[in-house]
Every structure is written in structure tokens, then in C-alpha cells.
């Protein structure tokens, strides 16, 4: 296969839902929350990532993981985070390692507490990566809302190891994205970008 043919192979995209936390301010794990029509947030996030262009789907689970796992659609895999109580960083690190094992080219990250994220936001940040697989593996992209950083975020495979190594406690990917010049993609015309910290 020629180099040109290799670069034209469609990149493989993995979607990750961060859903391992205990939701102290929320009054319980946000992964157990449901929309007003009864749809679990975690199932909604999986469906949204699939519609946005993700091939493989992962959901981190920690607090009350048995109950959360029951809400995860069959098309997604649960990633157990034994040390979930240590903070967001441990959940993200587990998800990045799981994505690396699946040999995806890029990882799309969303937290479970943004149930209003539209699939169009995922499609838009992925479009900023471009179709070339080699380029995608080195990509870093983050959705912004009126210049305020938010989700989805995209991390190319070449960054997986370095990102995971720097994660601890409640530290997420933002510092890494800034330090390495992530491309910012405005998505404020698609939705608010707000997460949900208190029960509706």
C-alpha cells in the first residue's frame, strides 16, 4: 500500500464518557441521572457520541458502578476505575489507557454531566482534526463557548501516553491542551456548553 493510500484510510475514533465520579455537589453519581423523559444521561451521551462519528465507545464507571453499568448501552464498554474517588484525573487516565488498547487514532472526551451536548458538536471538533489519519494522531482540539473552554475535546493517539502520565487528582486535560496548543473550535452556536452541577 502506498503512503498516499495509507493516509487516506479513515481514522478510527473512540468516544469516552467520564462517568465515574460520586457527584458530591449533585447529591449522588451523575451517571445515574436521567433526563426529564427518563433517558439515562450515560445512555444519552453514548448515543450522542455514536451519532457524532465515534466508532468505539467507552464509559468510565466508579461510584455505584453496578447500577451505572446497567444503564450503559450494549454498544459501549464499561471501564472500571477502582480509585475513582481520587478525582477526575484518575477517571480520564483509565479512559485514555482503554482507548490506547483499542488502537483508535483519536479520542473524543465528554463528561456525563453535559446531557445537552449535541452530536453536531462532536462532528464539528472532529472536522477540525481533518481526514488524514497521520495528522489526526497528533491532533488536539477543544470546543469553546464564547472563548470559554468546554467539551467535547479531542486527543490524538500520539498524545495519549504524555496526557495520561500528567493526570492526577481532579486535574483534567485542560492544562495539557493549553500547553500543547490545542485548536479551539467555537461551538456556542450549537448549544450553551454548560455542565449540570445541581439536580434540575
Amino acid at each position: 500500500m502506498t503512503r498516499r493510500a495509507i493516509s487516506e484510510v479513515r481514522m478510527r475514533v473512540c468516544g469516552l464518557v467520564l462517568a465515574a465520579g460520586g457527584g458530591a455537589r449533585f447529591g449522588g453519581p451523575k451517571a445515574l441521572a436521567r433526563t426529564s423523559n427518563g433517558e439515562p444521561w450515560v445512555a444519552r451521551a453514548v448515543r450522542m457520541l455514536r451519532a457524532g462519528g465515534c466508532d468505539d465507545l467507552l464509559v468510565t464507571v466508579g461510584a455505584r458502578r453496578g447500577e451505572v453499568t446497567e444503564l450503559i448501552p450494549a454498544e459501549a464498554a464499561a471501564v472500571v476505575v477502582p480509585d475513582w474517588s481520587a478525582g477526575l484525573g484518575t477517571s480520564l487516565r483509565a479512559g485514555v489507557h482503554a482507548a490506547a488498547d483499542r488502537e483508535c487514532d483519536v479520542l473524543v472526551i465528554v463528561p456525563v454531566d453535559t446531557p445537552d451536548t449535541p452530536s453536531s458538536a462532536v462532528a464539528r471538533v472532529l472536522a477540525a482534526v481533518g481526514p488524514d489519519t497521520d495528522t489526526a494522531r497528533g491532533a488536539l482540539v477543544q470546543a469553546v463557548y464564547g472563548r470559554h473552554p468546554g467539551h467535547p475535546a479531542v486527543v490524538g493517539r500520539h498524545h495519549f501516553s504524555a496526557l495520561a502520565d500528567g493526570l492526577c487528582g481532579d486535574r483534567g486535560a485542560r492544562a495539557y491542551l493549553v500547553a500543547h496548543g490545542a485548536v479551539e473550535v467555537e461551538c456556542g452556536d450549537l448549544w450553551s456548553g454548560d455542565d449540570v452541577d445541581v439536580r434540575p
Side-chain angles (χ1 to χ4, degrees):
M1 185 179 291
T2 66
R3 181 173 179 79
R4 177 180 173 81
I6 292 173
S7 68
E8 289 177 352
V9 174
R10 182 185 179 276
M11 65 178 177
R12 187 157 192 85
V13 181
C14 184
L16 172 65
V17 183
L18 300 175
R25 288 179 295 173
F26 193 72
K30 295 178 181 181
L32 294 176
R34 296 174 180 265
T35 64
S36 59
N37 66 1
E39 181 181 20
W41 283 5
V42 67
R44 185 181 179 93
V46 167
R47 178 170 57 82
M48 179 274 299
L49 286 169
R50 174 70 81 193
C54 296
D55 304 296
D56 295 314
L57 300 161
L58 303 170
V59 180
T60 60
V61 295
R64 294 170 65 177
R65 73 184 190 196
E67 296 170 69
V68 174
T69 300
E70 291 181 358
L71 300 178
I72 299 174
E75 63 186 314
V79 177
V80 176
V81 186
D83 53 348
W84 61 268
S85 61
L88 171 66
T90 58
S91 180
L92 180 54
R93 185 170 62 242
V96 170
H97 286 318
D101 290 342
R102 286 171 177 260
E103 300 184 353
C104 64
D105 300 304
V106 297
L107 177 64
V108 180
I109 304 164
V110 296
V112 73
D113 64 357
T114 55
D116 294 328
T117 308
S119 59
S120 55
V122 174
R124 183 175 290 182
V125 293
L126 284 174
V129 170
D132 182 87
T133 301
D134 290 338
T135 302
R137 289 175 178 170
L140 290 171
V141 181
Q142 183 165 33
V144 295
Y145 300 87
R147 305 300 297 176
H148 296 290
H151 291 87
V154 178
V155 178
R157 185 176 188 83
H158 294 333
H159 292 278
F160 286 1
S161 180
L163 171 61
D165 286 347
L167 294 170
C168 63
D170 278 325
R171 182 177 182 180
R174 178 60 182 166
Y176 187 91
L177 294 171
V178 171
H180 293 83
V183 174
E184 295 185 343
V185 177
E186 180 60 53
C187 292
D189 59 312
L190 300 177
W191 72 297
S192 70
D194 295 336
D195 58 1
V196 181
D197 279 334
V198 295
R199 291 187 183 278

